[in-house]
Each structure stands twice: as C-alpha cells, then as structure tokens.
Amino acid sequence: MNDVLYSVDDAVATIVLNRPEAMNALTVRAKTALLEALTSAARASSVRAVVLTGSGRAFCAGQDLTEHAANLEAGRGLDGTVRTHYNPVVRTIAEMDKPVVAAVNGVAAGAGASLAFACDLRIASERARFATAFSGIGLAPDSGASWTLQRLVGPARAAELLLLGEPFGADRALELGVVSRVVPAGELDTAARALAVRLAQGPTSAYAATKRALRFAATSSLAEALELEADLQDACARTGDHLNATRAFLAKERPVFEGR
Ligand code: T3D
C-alpha cells in the first residue's frame, strides 16, 4: 500500500497521508513519499492549489515512534531525520508558489501538528484534535512548530501549548486561531475541496507573491517589507490575470483567472 496518495483534479493536487493503522505516523518511507508528492505539486504548472489530509481517523500522529525507538536503541539518535526529511517537507509547503490547505480530519500530533501549522490555511473536522506532543516524549518542537505556532496563536499561547503539550479539540483550535473553520466530519472533504478549487481558480501569481510577502515580513522591518511589496506588486501588475481582472472590473464582469 502506498504511504502517501497523490492525485490531481480541477488543478487541485490532493495529498493523502496513508498509514491509517499507525495514525499516519511518519516513517522515512512516508516522509520521502510526502516530499516527492509536495515537490510534484509545487513543480506542476497544472496544479494551482494543494490539499493535505490523512486517511482513516487521524491527520498525522507525527514521527513513527516504532522506527524512532529502533534508531535510539541502535545509538543513531534521530538519524538526521529532522534536517533530511522534516525540514525539506516544511520548506516545500511554505515556499511553493501555490496555496496549501490542511484538511485536518482527525488527530494531528507532534510533527503531524507541525505539518498542519505549516500549511497556508487549515480547515478542521469537528473530530480533529491537536497535540504538540513533543514535550510528552522529552523532545523540543520541530518541523517549524516553534516558528509557525507563535504566529498563529501568539508567543504566550504557543509557549503554553508547546511546554504543556495538552491536547485540544477543534472548537478550541478555532478559538485559538489554529484553524479558520470547523465543519461536520462528513463534510470535511467537500469543504476542503471547495476551498481548494476556489483557490485554484484564483490569481496564482498573486497568491505566490502573497505567500512570499508574508514569509518575508515575518522577519523583516517595515521598510524592508514595503520594498519587497513594491517589487512583488510590480510583478503582479504585469500578469495577464491582473490585466484581465482590471478589464473585467471596468466591464462589470466576473474576472476569470488563468494563473498567468
Ligand atoms: O526522529 C524523531 O523522532 C524526530 C521527530 C520528532 C517529531 C515528532 O513528531 S515527536 C511526536 C511523536 N508523536 C507522538 O508522540 C504522538 C504519539 N501518539 C499518541 O499520542 C496517540 O497515539 C494519539 C494522540 C496520536 C492518538 O491516540 P488514540 O488513543 O486515538 O490512538 P492510539 O490507540 O494511541 O493509536 C492507534 C494506533 O496508532 C496504535 O497502534 P496499535 O496499538 O493499534 O497497533 C498506536 O501505537 C499507533 N500510533 C499512534 N501514534 C503513533 C503510532 N505508531 C507509531 N508512531 C506514532 N507516532
């Protein structure tokens, strides 16, 4: 069975973590397949939005602890997996020029929660649960959780969630701003797909510029952010999508974005 499923439809790439018997925990094989799927989505010009979700009752339980324990017993520690596997996965999500939606169908723990935090938008089933989980097994955050979570919920709440590791459900996630929407379990796939299709029909270059501007602004001064915004806006203004949308506005028509 494939650890990660990949399909493309209506310009939306759907990536499904597919080890339901282990709550979609991440082995080296699964992480390699996930990176391949994300890279394919990032490179394919036919893909304009991505959905990341899990099969069965979990989104992702983070590092596969069976594989992890074997590495520890053999004296290999983490065996380099954070730099070799997790970091490229998170960077590929953050740096790809198209929006990535996490459809959080169930529990998201440890690096599984980090994966959800790394996506651009998060929509959750009412059955979703989040647990930073790292401190529960004597580890510190990885896969970007120290960076992403405090930007989602603020530094004080991020410290609490990461130090105490208390699990929280979908409603609390909505309250905290970890997810932007909660839907009944049976409606998650449809809702996530509708959101992704809407994004796939949007101004792809402007979305890429928006992602870049947000990433840059998170660690730069206002003056630097203004400069990058000016460059990015200049590039967006030269796209066919912008020209057509401006013409459509003046003609009182709905714009059609072709991702160019
Ligand atoms: O190399 C490195 O380690 C560096 C990177 C670290 C990043 C990390 O992700 S550290 C955090 C690792 N993850 C965790 O600590 C979470 C461990 N899992 C849990 O706490 C719970 O399983 C859940 C809260 C996720 C779900 O609880 P529950 O009660 O709904 O399900 P369960 O019965 O615990 O799990 C169901 C099965 O999935 C079970 O297998 P079994 O008994 O039916 O054969 C369980 O062992 C398996 N499973 C769940 N999580 C993992 C896992 N198997 C391997 N690794 C897992 N992470």
Side-chain angles (χ1 to χ4, degrees), residues 190-212:
T190 309
R193 175 146 194 92
L195 178 59
V197 167
R198 174 179 161 182
L199 292 164
Q201 292 172 351
T204 307
S205 300
Y207 290 155
T210 304
K211 284 186 67 163
R212 204 173 143 200

PDB file of all heavy atoms in Angstrom, residues 190-212:
ATOM      1  N   THR A 190     -15.537  17.691   1.202  1.00  0.00           N
ATOM      2  CA  THR A 190     -16.229  18.593   0.275  1.00  0.00           C
ATOM      3  C   THR A 190     -15.837  20.044   0.549  1.00  0.00           C
ATOM      4  O   THR A 190     -15.565  20.822  -0.382  1.00  0.00           O
ATOM      5  CB  THR A 190     -17.760  18.433   0.429  1.00  0.00           C
ATOM      6  OG1 THR A 190     -18.052  17.036   0.329  1.00  0.00           O
ATOM      7  CG2 THR A 190     -18.525  19.192  -0.617  1.00  0.00           C
ATOM      8  N   ALA A 191     -15.795  20.402   1.831  1.00  0.00           N
ATOM      9  CA  ALA A 191     -15.476  21.794   2.182  1.00  0.00           C
ATOM     10  C   ALA A 191     -14.029  22.131   1.808  1.00  0.00           C
ATOM     11  O   ALA A 191     -13.751  23.215   1.269  1.00  0.00           O
ATOM     12  CB  ALA A 191     -15.714  22.023   3.667  1.00  0.00           C
ATOM     13  N   ALA A 192     -13.114  21.200   2.080  1.00  0.00           N
ATOM     14  CA  ALA A 192     -11.698  21.456   1.768  1.00  0.00           C
ATOM     15  C   ALA A 192     -11.510  21.541   0.255  1.00  0.00           C
ATOM     16  O   ALA A 192     -10.765  22.386  -0.255  1.00  0.00           O
ATOM     17  CB  ALA A 192     -10.817  20.361   2.359  1.00  0.00           C
ATOM     18  N   ARG A 193     -12.203  20.662  -0.442  1.00  0.00           N
ATOM     19  CA  ARG A 193     -12.093  20.658  -1.906  1.00  0.00           C
ATOM     20  C   ARG A 193     -12.660  21.963  -2.497  1.00  0.00           C
ATOM     21  O   ARG A 193     -12.057  22.570  -3.379  1.00  0.00           O
ATOM     22  CB  ARG A 193     -12.829  19.436  -2.462  1.00  0.00           C
ATOM     23  CG  ARG A 193     -12.860  19.411  -3.930  1.00  0.00           C
ATOM     24  CD  ARG A 193     -12.808  18.062  -4.566  1.00  0.00           C
ATOM     25  NE  ARG A 193     -12.505  18.307  -5.964  1.00  0.00           N
ATOM     26  CZ  ARG A 193     -11.296  18.340  -6.459  1.00  0.00           C
ATOM     27  NH1 ARG A 193     -10.255  18.097  -5.698  1.00  0.00           N
ATOM     28  NH2 ARG A 193     -11.087  18.604  -7.729  1.00  0.00           N
ATOM     29  N   ALA A 194     -13.811  22.395  -1.963  1.00  0.00           N
ATOM     30  CA  ALA A 194     -14.409  23.639  -2.470  1.00  0.00           C
ATOM     31  C   ALA A 194     -13.451  24.813  -2.249  1.00  0.00           C
ATOM     32  O   ALA A 194     -13.268  25.662  -3.130  1.00  0.00           O
ATOM     33  CB  ALA A 194     -15.740  23.902  -1.774  1.00  0.00           C
ATOM     34  N   LEU A 195     -12.820  24.836  -1.092  1.00  0.00           N
ATOM     35  CA  LEU A 195     -11.862  25.909  -0.796  1.00  0.00           C
ATOM     36  C   LEU A 195     -10.672  25.842  -1.756  1.00  0.00           C
ATOM     37  O   LEU A 195     -10.246  26.855  -2.322  1.00  0.00           O
ATOM     38  CB  LEU A 195     -11.390  25.773   0.663  1.00  0.00           C
ATOM     39  CG  LEU A 195     -10.364  26.762   1.166  1.00  0.00           C
ATOM     40  CD1 LEU A 195     -10.881  28.206   1.056  1.00  0.00           C
ATOM     41  CD2 LEU A 195      -9.992  26.450   2.626  1.00  0.00           C
ATOM     42  N   ALA A 196     -10.171  24.617  -1.973  1.00  0.00           N
ATOM     43  CA  ALA A 196      -9.003  24.455  -2.850  1.00  0.00           C
ATOM     44  C   ALA A 196      -9.349  24.791  -4.299  1.00  0.00           C
ATOM     45  O   ALA A 196      -8.558  25.418  -5.005  1.00  0.00           O
ATOM     46  CB  ALA A 196      -8.458  23.040  -2.732  1.00  0.00           C
ATOM     47  N   VAL A 197     -10.537  24.392  -4.744  1.00  0.00           N
ATOM     48  CA  VAL A 197     -10.946  24.702  -6.126  1.00  0.00           C
ATOM     49  C   VAL A 197     -11.059  26.226  -6.285  1.00  0.00           C
ATOM     50  O   VAL A 197     -10.611  26.795  -7.281  1.00  0.00           O
ATOM     51  CB  VAL A 197     -12.268  23.989  -6.493  1.00  0.00           C
ATOM     52  CG1 VAL A 197     -12.864  24.544  -7.782  1.00  0.00           C
ATOM     53  CG2 VAL A 197     -12.038  22.491  -6.621  1.00  0.00           C
ATOM     54  N   ARG A 198     -11.621  26.868  -5.280  1.00  0.00           N
ATOM     55  CA  ARG A 198     -11.712  28.340  -5.336  1.00  0.00           C
ATOM     56  C   ARG A 198     -10.308  28.953  -5.464  1.00  0.00           C
ATOM     57  O   ARG A 198     -10.071  29.842  -6.285  1.00  0.00           O
ATOM     58  CB  ARG A 198     -12.404  28.826  -4.058  1.00  0.00           C
ATOM     59  CG  ARG A 198     -12.414  30.311  -3.952  1.00  0.00           C
ATOM     60  CD  ARG A 198     -13.120  30.751  -2.683  1.00  0.00           C
ATOM     61  NE  ARG A 198     -12.734  32.117  -2.389  1.00  0.00           N
ATOM     62  CZ  ARG A 198     -13.139  32.783  -1.333  1.00  0.00           C
ATOM     63  NH1 ARG A 198     -13.932  32.228  -0.457  1.00  0.00           N
ATOM     64  NH2 ARG A 198     -12.747  34.012  -1.130  1.00  0.00           N
ATOM     65  N   LEU A 199      -9.372  28.435  -4.668  1.00  0.00           N
ATOM     66  CA  LEU A 199      -8.000  28.949  -4.749  1.00  0.00           C
ATOM     67  C   LEU A 199      -7.371  28.634  -6.104  1.00  0.00           C
ATOM     68  O   LEU A 199      -6.648  29.450  -6.680  1.00  0.00           O
ATOM     69  CB  LEU A 199      -7.148  28.357  -3.621  1.00  0.00           C
ATOM     70  CG  LEU A 199      -7.516  28.828  -2.204  1.00  0.00           C
ATOM     71  CD1 LEU A 199      -6.899  27.920  -1.153  1.00  0.00           C
ATOM     72  CD2 LEU A 199      -7.054  30.274  -1.991  1.00  0.00           C
ATOM     73  N   ALA A 200      -7.689  27.426  -6.627  1.00  0.00           N
ATOM     74  CA  ALA A 200      -7.115  27.008  -7.917  1.00  0.00           C
ATOM     75  C   ALA A 200      -7.657  27.853  -9.062  1.00  0.00           C
ATOM     76  O   ALA A 200      -7.070  27.899 -10.139  1.00  0.00           O
ATOM     77  CB  ALA A 200      -7.400  25.530  -8.160  1.00  0.00           C
ATOM     78  N   GLN A 201      -8.779  28.498  -8.825  1.00  0.00           N
ATOM     79  CA  GLN A 201      -9.359  29.367  -9.866  1.00  0.00           C
ATOM     80  C   GLN A 201      -9.015  30.831  -9.617  1.00  0.00           C
ATOM     81  O   GLN A 201      -9.562  31.728 -10.241  1.00  0.00           O
ATOM     82  CB  GLN A 201     -10.880  29.183  -9.903  1.00  0.00           C
ATOM     83  CG  GLN A 201     -11.261  27.795 -10.394  1.00  0.00           C
ATOM     84  CD  GLN A 201     -12.745  27.501 -10.278  1.00  0.00           C
ATOM     85  OE1 GLN A 201     -13.499  28.259  -9.678  1.00  0.00           O
ATOM     86  NE2 GLN A 201     -13.160  26.372 -10.849  1.00  0.00           N
ATOM     87  N   GLY A 202      -8.104  31.061  -8.686  1.00  0.00           N
ATOM     88  CA  GLY A 202      -7.733  32.433  -8.322  1.00  0.00           C
ATOM     89  C   GLY A 202      -6.476  32.898  -9.026  1.00  0.00           C
ATOM     90  O   GLY A 202      -5.933  32.209  -9.893  1.00  0.00           O
ATOM     91  N   PRO A 203      -5.991  34.072  -8.636  1.00  0.00           N
ATOM     92  CA  PRO A 203      -4.792  34.652  -9.255  1.00  0.00           C
ATOM     93  C   PRO A 203      -3.518  34.001  -8.699  1.00  0.00           C
ATOM     94  O   PRO A 203      -2.940  34.476  -7.716  1.00  0.00           O
ATOM     95  CB  PRO A 203      -4.901  36.125  -8.853  1.00  0.00           C
ATOM     96  CG  PRO A 203      -5.640  36.109  -7.557  1.00  0.00           C
ATOM     97  CD  PRO A 203      -6.568  34.942  -7.584  1.00  0.00           C
ATOM     98  N   THR A 204      -3.083  32.925  -9.337  1.00  0.00           N
ATOM     99  CA  THR A 204      -1.994  32.092  -8.806  1.00  0.00           C
ATOM    100  C   THR A 204      -0.720  32.914  -8.547  1.00  0.00           C
ATOM    101  O   THR A 204      -0.066  32.735  -7.513  1.00  0.00           O
ATOM    102  CB  THR A 204      -1.717  30.929  -9.777  1.00  0.00           C
ATOM    103  OG1 THR A 204      -2.968  30.271 -10.017  1.00  0.00           O
ATOM    104  CG2 THR A 204      -0.731  29.938  -9.214  1.00  0.00           C
ATOM    105  N   SER A 205      -0.379  33.824  -9.467  1.00  0.00           N
ATOM    106  CA  SER A 205       0.854  34.616  -9.266  1.00  0.00           C
ATOM    107  C   SER A 205       0.700  35.545  -8.058  1.00  0.00           C
ATOM    108  O   SER A 205       1.647  35.743  -7.297  1.00  0.00           O
ATOM    109  CB  SER A 205       1.158  35.472 -10.490  1.00  0.00           C
ATOM    110  OG  SER A 205       1.331  34.651 -11.597  1.00  0.00           O
ATOM    111  N   ALA A 206      -0.499  36.106  -7.897  1.00  0.00           N
ATOM    112  CA  ALA A 206      -0.712  36.996  -6.746  1.00  0.00           C
ATOM    113  C   ALA A 206      -0.670  36.203  -5.438  1.00  0.00           C
ATOM    114  O   ALA A 206      -0.164  36.684  -4.421  1.00  0.00           O
ATOM    115  CB  ALA A 206      -2.051  37.718  -6.878  1.00  0.00           C
ATOM    116  N   TYR A 207      -1.177  34.961  -5.471  1.00  0.00           N
ATOM    117  CA  TYR A 207      -1.085  34.117  -4.268  1.00  0.00           C
ATOM    118  C   TYR A 207       0.381  33.808  -3.935  1.00  0.00           C
ATOM    119  O   TYR A 207       0.786  33.820  -2.772  1.00  0.00           O
ATOM    120  CB  TYR A 207      -1.845  32.803  -4.472  1.00  0.00           C
ATOM    121  CG  TYR A 207      -3.353  32.929  -4.527  1.00  0.00           C
ATOM    122  CD1 TYR A 207      -4.108  31.972  -5.189  1.00  0.00           C
ATOM    123  CD2 TYR A 207      -4.032  33.966  -3.902  1.00  0.00           C
ATOM    124  CE1 TYR A 207      -5.500  32.051  -5.242  1.00  0.00           C
ATOM    125  CE2 TYR A 207      -5.428  34.054  -3.952  1.00  0.00           C
ATOM    126  CZ  TYR A 207      -6.150  33.099  -4.623  1.00  0.00           C
ATOM    127  OH  TYR A 207      -7.514  33.167  -4.673  1.00  0.00           O
ATOM    128  N   ALA A 208       1.162  33.523  -4.977  1.00  0.00           N
ATOM    129  CA  ALA A 208       2.588  33.239  -4.750  1.00  0.00           C
ATOM    130  C   ALA A 208       3.262  34.447  -4.127  1.00  0.00           C
ATOM    131  O   ALA A 208       4.035  34.334  -3.163  1.00  0.00           O
ATOM    132  CB  ALA A 208       3.261  32.866  -6.065  1.00  0.00           C
ATOM    133  N   ALA A 209       2.933  35.629  -4.657  1.00  0.00           N
ATOM    134  CA  ALA A 209       3.536  36.858  -4.128  1.00  0.00           C
ATOM    135  C   ALA A 209       3.070  37.103  -2.689  1.00  0.00           C
ATOM    136  O   ALA A 209       3.842  37.556  -1.843  1.00  0.00           O
ATOM    137  CB  ALA A 209       3.160  38.040  -5.021  1.00  0.00           C
ATOM    138  N   THR A 210       1.807  36.789  -2.410  1.00  0.00           N
ATOM    139  CA  THR A 210       1.274  36.979  -1.049  1.00  0.00           C
ATOM    140  C   THR A 210       2.012  36.081  -0.054  1.00  0.00           C
ATOM    141  O   THR A 210       2.410  36.510   1.034  1.00  0.00           O
ATOM    142  CB  THR A 210      -0.241  36.658  -1.024  1.00  0.00           C
ATOM    143  OG1 THR A 210      -0.894  37.477  -1.983  1.00  0.00           O
ATOM    144  CG2 THR A 210      -0.839  36.896   0.346  1.00  0.00           C
ATOM    145  N   LYS A 211       2.215  34.797  -0.458  1.00  0.00           N
ATOM    146  CA  LYS A 211       2.940  33.880   0.423  1.00  0.00           C
ATOM    147  C   LYS A 211       4.360  34.409   0.684  1.00  0.00           C
ATOM    148  O   LYS A 211       4.849  34.398   1.797  1.00  0.00           O
ATOM    149  CB  LYS A 211       3.027  32.467  -0.195  1.00  0.00           C
ATOM    150  CG  LYS A 211       1.729  31.677  -0.118  1.00  0.00           C
ATOM    151  CD  LYS A 211       1.891  30.234  -0.597  1.00  0.00           C
ATOM    152  CE  LYS A 211       2.772  29.382   0.299  1.00  0.00           C
ATOM    153  NZ  LYS A 211       2.592  27.923   0.065  1.00  0.00           N
ATOM    154  N   ARG A 212       4.990  34.882  -0.387  1.00  0.00           N
ATOM    155  CA  ARG A 212       6.367  35.366  -0.255  1.00  0.00           C
ATOM    156  C   ARG A 212       6.412  36.598   0.645  1.00  0.00           C
ATOM    157  O   ARG A 212       7.284  36.723   1.515  1.00  0.00           O
ATOM    158  CB  ARG A 212       6.922  35.688  -1.649  1.00  0.00           C
ATOM    159  CG  ARG A 212       8.414  35.623  -1.653  1.00  0.00           C
ATOM    160  CD  ARG A 212       9.014  35.776  -3.018  1.00  0.00           C
ATOM    161  NE  ARG A 212      10.228  36.534  -2.871  1.00  0.00           N
ATOM    162  CZ  ARG A 212      10.827  37.187  -3.836  1.00  0.00           C
ATOM    163  NH1 ARG A 212      10.336  37.157  -5.055  1.00  0.00           N
ATOM    164  NH2 ARG A 212      11.938  37.849  -3.594  1.00  0.00           N
TER     165      ARG A 212
END
